[in-house]
Amino acid sequence: MSMDELFAPMKEPMILGAAISIVVGAVAIVAGLTYFKKWGWLYKNWLTTVDHKKIGVMYILVALVMLFRGGIDALLMRAQTAVPENGLLNAEHYNEIFTTHGLIMIIFMAMPFIIGLMNVVVPLQIGARDVAFPRLNALSFWLFAVGAGLLNISFIIGGSPNAGWSAYFPLASTEFSPGVGNNYYAWSLQISGLGTLMTGINFITTIMKMRAPGMKLMKMPMFTWSALITNVIITFAFPVLTVALAMMTLDRQFGTKFFAMQDGGMDMLWANLFWVWGHPEVYIVILPAFGIFSEVISTFSRKNLFGYKSMVMSMVVISLLSFMVWVHHFYTMGHGVMVNGIFSITTMLIAVPTGVKIFNWLLTMRHGKITFTTPMLWALAFVPIFTIGGVTGVMLAMASADYQYHNTLFLVAHFHYVLIPGTVFGVLAGYHFWWPKIFGFRLNEKLGKSAFWFIVVGFNVAFFPLFILGLDGYARRMYTYSADTGYGPLSMVSFIGALAMAVGFALICYNIYYSFRHSPRETTGDPWDARSLEWATQSPVPEYNFAIVPKINQLDEFWYAKKEGRDITAGKYERIHMPNNSGAPLWMSGVMFLFSLFFVFSEWTLVIVFAIATLGFMAYRSFENDEGHYIEVAEIEATERRLRGEK
């Protein structure tokens, strides 16, 4: 590929402006780190860390950056369709934006936000000092990060993917998408997906093998249960994506015909493989949010979670059904009545366990002493909005009716009414709830509630009109329309709602700065008078998590111990063994980034060089002998006194 073709995307003024702003931002960060002499601190404390809490914070930080990248894409789409025959974006640019918006929001925003909260909270909730495989955890994060980086550089080097986030064949083939955009798609998902699969194995092992003494499975907090079930889904679903992406790469870069429409290939094979992974993916990002809402509603209602066992069972049933509904994504693509009927029924069945959870949350709040904090507001808003998404999902599950709604904005409105309350509201509730535990101070409640109202009102203004437009026949993925269609007024309303949401997210960012400057430091470790084990630690949580690992006798042991005046972390300190930091995950991921980048452009010599380097890292790790280190008792005592505010 020539240099002219390589940087062709920057002929677009909007992309050139974005590229310049990225370069300016990068130069400012490098200059700042150099001026304040923070490179060593950054490398030692963050880039090479294997501490699950710091890795969780880095996941959340990248997720927030991706939220704004995907949010800008969304604003551009709403701006483009706000008025008829708008010329803000051309058709090709619009195709690229709706493709990257979907990819970023699902793979590089929702998932890392969820995995980040899991990293911070799950080991604390089960009384563990770390995850089962700390260095593998760091490698998982860096693989995800380089996958995100690979996708994001595509819009300035070579060209973005443009075949939709589902990349259906033959549209995603070299015949109809001849550039390197869909090579980027395959490799960014492949690299980050490997990291996610490692996370799934790591967290299943952590939860099954590292719980505190006495914590049986049915004594685990609900967020940990949701994390366990989610990671089981990950370990079954992601290998399917890995294989499908490998076949896509073979088709696009080596001329095989797995998904071709001739020579024995089957384009529908891609659709089946993609959605065998893709529909469980919806529950990978929603089930942990269910766990967060359970923690938040129980805490701020001052009551036990109603129907604990039925909540666990409903998540297990949802996880099983999530693998049995994938065909509902293509009812109109030629299946018979029998097949469509079976998948229609299994799809509608998911409403049953989901309904159980909704009623359990409502009954938890009944007669509770509800405190309307920012996390609780997010949980309360979730219930009615998600219910609208669920009801419209049942409408779409009916195969015969789906022939009418299919491929219209009604579908777009439905999945935003499911995924935004079911995931974004969930992670924002968890973000505000656990912030004091992570950083040792609370976010400002007034700013938090202002952001809440802007986002919730803006969301409904932005997406409810899409139900009406969809029923009126507005097909999705159209980059423009004529004034005669009558779509203009409601499209403008939708754009105004999107602007209100942008104001809300800006307030969330400002809240970090304001609270860091003005909020009092947290020394109790338990600012919400909460129930589960993570609140028994100091805030922010020290490297070793628990100076004394607690013993568990019942669900919500920490809550009952507080009411009975017991200290479940009391005891004699002993030195604690912890893993050493390592730069290997960072450097190995960097090498895999270069391997993937050169694979995208079919630069085979460099591909072989970096493939050998990757294998070299693996071989080195196989023979490396790292015994970790001990934290001595005197250091533990000093740390505990300092975090309690004692001098």
Side-chain angles (χ1 to χ4, degrees), residues 77 89-102 160-165 171 477-479:
M77 283 191 286
L89 303 174
N90 59 38
E92 176 63 18
H93 197 178
Y94 187 81
N95 288 346
E96 291 176 351
I97 282 177
F98 78 66
T99 299
T100 53
H101 170 74
S160 295
N162 59 0
W165 91 283
L171 181 61
R477 297 170 180 160
M478 290 199 317
Y479 90 103

Side-chain angles (χ1 to χ4, degrees), residues 545-622:
N545 291 354
F546 295 89
I548 303 290
V549 174
K551 293 180 181 176
I552 305 302
N553 299 306
Q554 58 194 322
L555 180 65
D556 291 341
E557 175 74 18
F558 176 58
W559 170 264
Y560 288 108
K562 283 193 295 184
K563 301 308 163 193
E564 296 164 8
R566 292 185 286 118
D567 182 1
I568 61 172
T569 59
K572 183 181 178 183
Y573 295 153
E574 296 179 356
R575 66 176 189 162
I576 298 170
H577 181 257
M578 297 298 294
N580 288 328
N581 286 357
S582 171
L586 169 67
W587 295 113
M588 182 175 173
S589 300
V591 167
M592 292 186 74
F593 171 83
L594 294 172
F595 165 80
S596 306
L597 180 62
F598 290 118
F599 213 121
V600 165
F601 290 96
S602 304
E603 296 289 342
W604 303 122
T605 303
L606 292 169
V607 166
I608 292 169
V609 168
F610 287 107
I612 293 171
T614 302
L615 293 173
F617 270 107
M618 293 179 181
Y620 173 77
R621 176 55 181 157
S622 299

Side-chain angles (χ1 to χ4, degrees), residues 181-228:
N182 285 292
N183 297 354
Y184 272 116
Y185 173 100
W187 279 102
S188 60
L189 263 66
Q190 190 70 283
I191 294 292
S192 62
L194 289 173
T196 304
L197 184 57
M198 292 176 194
T199 296
I201 294 166
N202 206 346
F203 272 87
I204 291 172
T205 311
T206 301
I207 295 170
M208 296 306 292
K209 305 297 287 187
M210 297 180 68
R211 300 192 303 278
M215 183 179 277
K216 306 293 184 187
L217 284 175
M218 294 309 287
K219 294 177 183 173
M220 292 196 308
M222 193 53 64
F223 180 65
T224 299
W225 257 115
S226 70
L228 175 61

Side-chain angles (χ1 to χ4, degrees), residues 52-53 119-128 215 437 532-535 537 541-542 545-546:
H52 67 93
K53 301 176 289 295
N119 259 284
V120 171
V121 177
V122 167
L124 299 175
Q125 284 198 333
I126 63 173
M215 183 179 277
K437 180 53 57 185
S532 46
L533 213 51
E534 71 271 29
W535 303 102
T537 64
V541 185
N545 291 354
F546 295 89

Side-chain angles (χ1 to χ4, degrees), residues 222-523:
M222 193 53 64
F223 180 65
T224 299
W225 257 115
S226 70
L228 175 61
I229 295 169
T230 298
N231 284 291
V232 170
I233 298 176
I234 285 174
T235 53
F236 281 95
F238 267 77
V240 179
L241 179 68
T242 301
V243 172
L245 291 172
M247 294 164 75
M248 171 190 258
T249 300
L250 289 170
D251 267 16
R252 286 189 53 85
Q253 296 191 256
F254 295 95
T256 58
K257 303 287 185 183
F258 290 112
F259 306 129
M261 297 182 72
Q262 68 279 348
D263 301 325
M266 292 182 289
D267 54 327
M268 284 303 296
L269 178 61
W270 169 263
N272 279 282
L273 289 174
F274 180 85
W275 287 113
V276 165
W277 161 81
H279 199 80
E281 170 66 18
V282 173
Y283 293 95
I284 288 170
V285 295
I286 284 182
L287 283 179
F290 287 176
I292 294 169
F293 290 133
S294 299
E295 303 287 348
V296 168
I297 289 173
S298 176
T299 297
F300 295 110
S301 299
R302 299 288 180 265
K303 284 182 64 184
N304 294 342
L305 186 64
F306 184 89
Y308 174 86
K309 292 181 180 176
S310 62
M311 293 288 262
V312 174
M313 285 308 301
S314 64
M315 283 196 290
V316 173
V317 172
I318 288 172
S319 68
L320 294 173
L321 288 173
S322 72
F323 285 95
M324 301 167 67
V325 300
W326 79 92
V327 170
H328 73 213
H329 290 275
F330 40 91
Y331 282 142
T332 59
M333 294 168 77
H335 296 295
V337 173
M338 179 65 76
V339 171
N340 279 352
I342 290 171
F343 282 93
S344 180
I345 291 168
T346 54
T347 301
M348 284 188 273
L349 279 177
I350 289 186
V352 177
T354 307
V356 168
K357 300 179 77 62
I358 295 285
F359 281 113
N360 282 349
W361 287 316
L362 294 175
L363 290 168
T364 301
M365 288 186 274
R366 184 171 179 263
H367 296 319
K369 296 178 182 177
I370 297 175
T371 309
F372 293 96
T373 60
T374 304
M376 187 63 172
L377 288 179
W378 287 113
L380 291 173
F382 153 78
V383 174
I385 297 175
F386 186 80
T387 302
I388 294 172
V391 169
T392 52
V394 173
M395 292 169 68
L396 287 160
M398 293 183 288
S400 53
D402 186 65
Y403 274 71
Q404 175 64 32
Y405 312 133
H406 181 78
N407 223 19
T408 69
L409 287 187
F410 186 91
L411 176 62
V412 175
H414 156 71
F415 67 69
H416 281 87
Y417 262 79
V418 170
L419 282 175
I420 290 186
T423 300
V424 178
F425 287 12
V427 295
L428 289 177
Y431 164 89
H432 285 86
F433 184 55
W434 283 306
W435 181 277
K437 180 53 57 185
I438 301 170
F439 295 107
F441 61 92
R442 284 171 57 171
L443 291 169
N444 182 272
E445 280 287 291
K446 190 173 181 180
L447 284 171
K449 290 175 181 175
S450 300
F452 165 82
W453 286 111
F454 268 104
I455 293 174
V456 169
V457 173
F459 166 78
N460 284 287
V461 172
F463 289 100
F464 198 84
L466 304 191
F467 282 123
I468 302 168
L469 288 169
L471 291 174
D472 200 24
Y474 189 151
R476 62 174 172 160
R477 297 170 180 160
M478 290 199 317
Y479 90 103
T480 192
Y481 53 86
S482 73
D484 294 340
T485 59
Y487 298 152
L490 283 178
S491 296
M492 177 57 76
V493 169
S494 179
F495 174 55
I496 293 169
L499 288 176
M501 292 180 74
V503 172
F505 284 112
L507 281 174
I508 287 176
C509 289
Y510 176 68
N511 198 356
I512 297 173
Y513 167 77
Y514 182 87
S515 302
F516 178 74
R517 293 289 303 274
H518 301 292
S519 288
R521 301 304 99 167
E522 168 58 40
T523 56

